[in-house]
Amino acid sequence: ETGVTQTPRHLVMGMTNKKSLKCEQHLGHNAMYWYKQSAKKPLELMFVYNFKEQTENNSVPSRFSPECPNSSHLFLHLHTLQPEDSALYLCASSPPGLATDRQFFGPGTRLTVL
Amino acid sequence: GQQVMQIPQYQHVQEGEDFTTYCNSSTTLSNIQWYKQRPGGHPVFLIQLVKSGEVKKQKRLTFQFGEAKKNSSLHITATQTTDVGTYFCAGPDNNAGNMLTFGGGTRLMVKP
């Protein structure tokens, strides 16, 4: 256990559905991340939040909408996804301030878009 | 932008053989990190190297950071089936706060 939890662990949705992924960390970290992992791009950074503020949006389509209500919780809202969005979505966190610190990953949500 | 490349992409070895994965960055890194992801799992931090030419060992795993701080390697001696997984290297993005740029990973398969 890394102290980072993600729910749900598996999700199947249609292209017209709206769903949300949740990430929670109890490590006292102030930086949180969303990654997409697929066969084509092993670890693709999507969003970065520092102290609840989004500091990076790595050219992610608007059908992915992140939300960070506080330093412990991170959401990824999904709507009108495409089959190519099927992937493992990983949340990670790291201690505040330092660019050098390790990241702690959650178990991921395996998403399938039909 | 900063790029981190890893070779090989895949490696099959017989149990007991050695294994090495190489990581190269397009820019000088302040540090290099290594992660392991077991099949069906998530990346787990293994180690961080900071100093030029640094070598660290964890049991059968030996990690090296190049003198120019642009490359690194992970060597596993006498592989075991428990070593199966994908090994990623990662370095801090020079242009962005606390972002890591990950390599593409090397997937290790071990035949018993």
Side-chain angles (χ1 to χ4, degrees):
Chain A
E1 291 298 324
T2 61
V4 181
T5 59
Q6 288 186 245
T7 55
R9 295 293 305 276
H10 300 271
L11 178 62
V12 179
M13 58 187 289
M15 290 190 285
T16 58
N17 292 157
K18 289 184 180 181
K19 297 286 184 183
S20 295
L21 309 184
K22 180 182 176 182
C23 175
E24 191 170 353
Q25 57 93 5
H26 302 284
L27 301 169
H29 293 168
N30 284 345
M32 296 187 77
Y33 312 79
W34 279 116
Y35 288 89
K36 175 183 177 182
Q37 188 172 50
S38 62
K40 289 185 178 179
K41 292 187 179 182
L43 271 171
E44 184 179 6
L45 179 67
M46 300 175 73
F47 301 104
V48 181
Y49 276 83
N50 283 290
F51 296 93
K52 303 188 300 178
E53 298 297 320
Q54 187 182 120
T55 55
E56 188 73 21
N57 175 338
N58 203 18
S59 303
V60 180
S62 59
R63 57 185 184 269
F64 294 92
S65 174
E67 179 189 0
C68 190
N70 55 61
S71 295
S72 298
H73 295 86
L74 185 64
F75 295 89
L76 188 61
H77 303 299
L78 317 171
H79 63 97
T80 58
L81 294 191
Q82 305 297 312
E84 60 264 29
D85 296 322
S86 298
L88 180 68
Y89 288 85
L90 291 161
C91 172
S93 70
S94 66
L98 299 178
T100 59
D101 270 309
R102 58 180 281 197
Q103 293 186 6
F104 295 73
F105 284 83
T109 296
R110 174 68 62 184
L111 174 67
T112 302
V113 182
L114 302 177
Chain B
Q2 182 183 52
Q3 291 187 327
V4 177
M5 311 294 288
Q6 272 186 264
I7 56 170
Q9 194 173 357
Y10 304 95
Q11 183 81 61
H12 286 87
V13 299
Q14 196 71 41
E15 189 172 21
E17 291 181 341
D18 292 357
F19 158 78
T20 304
T21 172
Y22 300 91
C23 177
N24 289 285
S25 170
S26 58
T27 61
T28 301
L29 300 171
S30 59
N31 73 82
I32 191 86
Q33 300 177 22
W34 285 91
Y35 293 76
K36 176 184 178 181
Q37 184 172 17
R38 295 180 187 276
H42 57 277
V44 175
F45 175 83
L46 292 176
I47 207 162
Q48 181 183 85
L49 304 171
V50 179
K51 299 177 183 175
S52 169
E54 188 171 12
V55 177
K56 286 188 176 180
K57 291 191 176 184
Q58 289 180 349
K59 298 183 180 178
R60 293 177 295 103
L61 277 61
T62 302
F63 303 85
Q64 274 191 303
F65 200 10
E67 294 290 339
K69 300 183 79 172
K70 294 181 71 174
N71 57 74
S72 180
S73 65
L74 158 58
H75 179 81
I76 302 179
T77 303
T79 55
Q80 299 176 359
T81 54
T82 53
D83 296 324
V84 164
T86 302
Y87 293 85
F88 294 96
C89 64
D93 189 304
N94 292 333
N95 298 316
N98 51 354
M99 282 172 50
L100 290 175
T101 301
F102 281 84
T106 295
R107 184 178 171 192
L108 172 65
M109 289 153 280
V110 179
K111 301 175 193 174

